[in-house]
Amino acid sequence: MSHSLKSFASDNNAPVHDAVFQAMLESNRGDAIGYGDDIHTMAAEKHFKEIFGKDARVFFMLTGTGANAAGLSHITRPYHAIVCSDKAHMENDECGAPEKITGCKLIRLPSEDGKIKPSQILPHLDSIGFQHHSQPKVVSVTQATELGTVYRPEEISEIAHFTREHDLYLHMDGARLANAAASLDLSLSEISGKAGVDLLSFGGTKNGAMAAEALIFFNQDLADGFEYTRKQSMQLMSKMRYISAQFNALFSGGLWLENARKANRMAKMLAERIEDIPSITITQQVETNGVFAMMPRAAIEKLRRRYFFYTWDARKNEVRLMTSYNTTEHDIDGFVEAIRESLRK
Ligand SMILES: Cc1ncc(COP(=O)(O)O)c(C=O)c1O
C-alpha cells in the first residue's frame, strides 16, 4: 500500500534526517575496517561514554527488536521470566522474538498508561525458588512508553531499588528515550543509567536515523561476552561505519534533542488543536510524540482515506497519531482541518 500523503502512523515513517544522511555520505569515502574498528565507530563510542558515563559499555545494533531480544538473552537463562507491561512493544509487536531468543516467559502486568510499579511486580516474586515456575529475573520498562507517557526519574529509581533488593535486573526499552529526555528536560542518562537501569536498548531510528540502535550496559559484569551474543544474534553489522556516522550526526551538535523536541512539540500542538472538539476524547497524557484519541468510527474511516495512521484499539475507536521531527506546523494545520471535515455529516 503506498501513501503519498503525510503519515501520522509512526515516527518510523519519517525520512532519515538530512544531516544524518549527509554524515553517512561523508563516511562513504575510501576503505574502513569492518565490524567497528573504524574512526567513525570510535567517535560514536566516545559520544556514548560522554553521555552515559565512562563505565557504560555500548554495542551498536540494527533493530530495536534485536537489541531487546539479544540484550535480554544475554542476561537471562531460558527458565527465567521477564516482567513487563501489557502494552510493552516486546509483548505485542516483536512477533515473540524475546520469548524465542531468550526462552523466557514474559509476565505482563496490566497498565492503563504503559507504566508499571513495584507493587504490581511483587506478587509475581512468590514463585522464586519454586522449581515448577519460571523464575522472574528481569523487569523491563519502556521509556517513553508505547502510550507516549514518561517515567519520572524517581519512578525509575523506585523500580531500580526494587529490582536490586530482589536480585533482578532492570532493562529499559529506550526506543524513544530521546523523546522522554526532551519531555522531562533531563539528560539521557538521568532517566536511564543514573536512575538505576542495568541494560538499555537505545533507539536512534525514531530520532532521525535508520537501523541505528544501541545496547548499553551500565552493569559492567553483565556486558562480558556480549560481543559473541551480538554476533550470534546476527546484529553485528560489517559496515559499521554507516551506523556510527549516524550517531555522530545525532550527538555532535545536539541534533538528537532538537529532533525529539520538535516531534514532541508537534504532538502537543495536534492535541491542543483537537482536544476541544466535542466528539474527540484524548485518552493519554501527551508527554512525547504520540496522541491517543477516541473519535467516531465513521470519521476515522473518512480520515483514513486521506492520511495514514493506526487504529490503536478498535473496540474503543481509539487511534494513535504519531508525529516525528519531520512533522511541520503546516502538516498539523492540514491534518486538523481534515479531522474537522471527517467529523462533518
Ligand atoms: C517501544 C518500541 N520498542 C522497540 C521498537 C523496535 O522496533 P524495530 O525492531 O522495528 O526497530 C519499537 C518500534 O516501533 C518501539 O516502538
Side-chain angles (χ1 to χ4, degrees), residues 12 63-65 68 89 94 142 146 173 175-176 206:
N12 283 325
T63 68
T65 302
N68 286 342
H89 193 267
E94 296 186 358
T142 310
E146 292 74 5
D173 178 346
R176 295 189 183 84
K206 293 163 180 50

Side-chain angles (χ1 to χ4, degrees), residues 59-71:
F59 297 87
F60 298 144
M61 311 291 281
L62 300 173
T63 68
T65 302
N68 286 342

Side-chain angles (χ1 to χ4, degrees), residues 45-340:
E45 284 171 356
K46 197 159 165 271
H47 279 302
F48 273 90
K49 283 188 179 283
E50 276 161 16
I51 293 167
F52 291 105
K54 63 177 178 19
D55 293 332
R57 297 266 320 265
V58 59
F59 297 87
F60 298 144
M61 311 291 281
L62 300 173
T63 68
T65 302
N68 286 342
L72 289 166
S73 79
H74 193 68
I75 63 172
T76 53
R77 305 281 304 267
Y79 55 78
H80 284 143
I82 299 163
V83 183
C84 61
S85 115
D86 61 352
K87 304 298 185 299
H89 193 267
M90 69 166 68
E91 161 67 16
N92 299 302
D93 289 304
E94 296 186 358
C95 194
E99 289 101 320
K100 178 173 190 261
I101 306 299
T102 64
C104 296
K105 181 185 173 72
L106 293 191
I107 298 177
R108 31 185 287 156
L109 304 179
S111 168
E112 286 303 313
D113 60 0
K115 299 201 265 181
I116 54 175
K117 295 186 196 69
S119 58
Q120 292 176 280
I121 305 165
L122 189 62
H124 294 278
L125 305 189
D126 287 349
S127 57
I128 290 181
F130 187 53
Q131 66 176 341
H132 304 284
H133 288 185
S134 300
Q135 300 293 293
K137 191 65 194 167
V138 180
V139 172
S140 179
V141 295
T142 310
Q143 175 77 317
T145 73
E146 292 74 5
L147 295 175
T149 54
V150 295
Y151 287 91
R152 271 61 191 161
E154 55 277 14
E155 292 175 301
I156 309 273
S157 301
E158 195 194 347
I159 300 176
H161 187 259
F162 177 89
T163 52
R164 294 247 153 85
E165 202 173 65
H166 295 278
D167 196 23
L168 309 170
Y169 299 126
L170 179 56
H171 167 254
M172 176 175 276
D173 178 346
R176 295 189 183 84
L177 194 75
N179 300 84
S183 168
L184 293 163
D185 204 15
L186 292 170
S187 70
L188 293 165
S189 91
E190 280 170 305
I191 55 170
S192 56
K194 277 194 185 152
V197 168
D198 296 302
L199 176 62
L200 169 69
S201 304
F202 177 79
T205 303
K206 293 163 180 50
N207 191 229
M210 70 170 205
E213 308 285 308
L215 200 60
I216 299 154
F217 290 84
F218 296 103
N219 179 332
Q220 292 268 336
D221 297 340
L222 286 182
D224 271 356
F226 184 72
E227 57 272 41
Y228 311 114
T229 302
R230 174 173 64 176
K231 180 70 183 181
Q232 281 198 328
S233 308
M234 297 163 284
Q235 290 278 313
L236 177 62
M237 170 91 160
S238 59
K239 297 203 173 174
M240 184 78 88
R241 63 172 136 163
Y242 301 101
I243 308 292
S244 314
Q246 296 183 61
F247 283 124
N248 291 334
L250 288 175
F251 289 140
S252 48
L255 181 63
W256 72 270
L257 185 57
E258 200 184 299
N259 284 353
R261 280 188 179 145
K262 170 84 181 303
N264 292 358
R265 196 167 67 245
M266 290 299 111
K268 195 138 261 161
M269 181 182 289
L270 173 59
E272 282 166 4
R273 300 268 305 270
I274 63 173
E275 69 191 354
D276 294 333
I277 300 177
S279 49
I280 292 185
T281 309
I282 295 188
T283 53
Q284 295 290 336
Q285 294 250 9
V286 181
E287 295 185 308
T288 52
N289 63 325
V291 178
F292 290 75
M294 293 193 297
M295 54 192 278
R297 182 168 300 218
I300 296 176
E301 279 158 20
K302 267 200 225 162
L303 188 61
R304 206 188 294 291
R305 286 186 218 132
R306 298 178 54 191
Y307 282 90
F308 182 34
F309 60 91
Y310 289 114
T311 294
W312 181 254
D313 186 340
R315 286 161 308 175
K316 293 198 277 176
N317 293 326
E318 185 181 22
V319 295
R320 183 186 82 159
L321 309 172
M322 299 285 290
T323 55
S324 77
Y325 79 86
N326 193 48
T327 309
T328 63
E329 290 192 35
H330 180 69
D331 296 330
I332 301 290
D333 288 342
F335 192 44
V336 170
E337 185 47 38
I339 291 174
R340 288 189 176 280

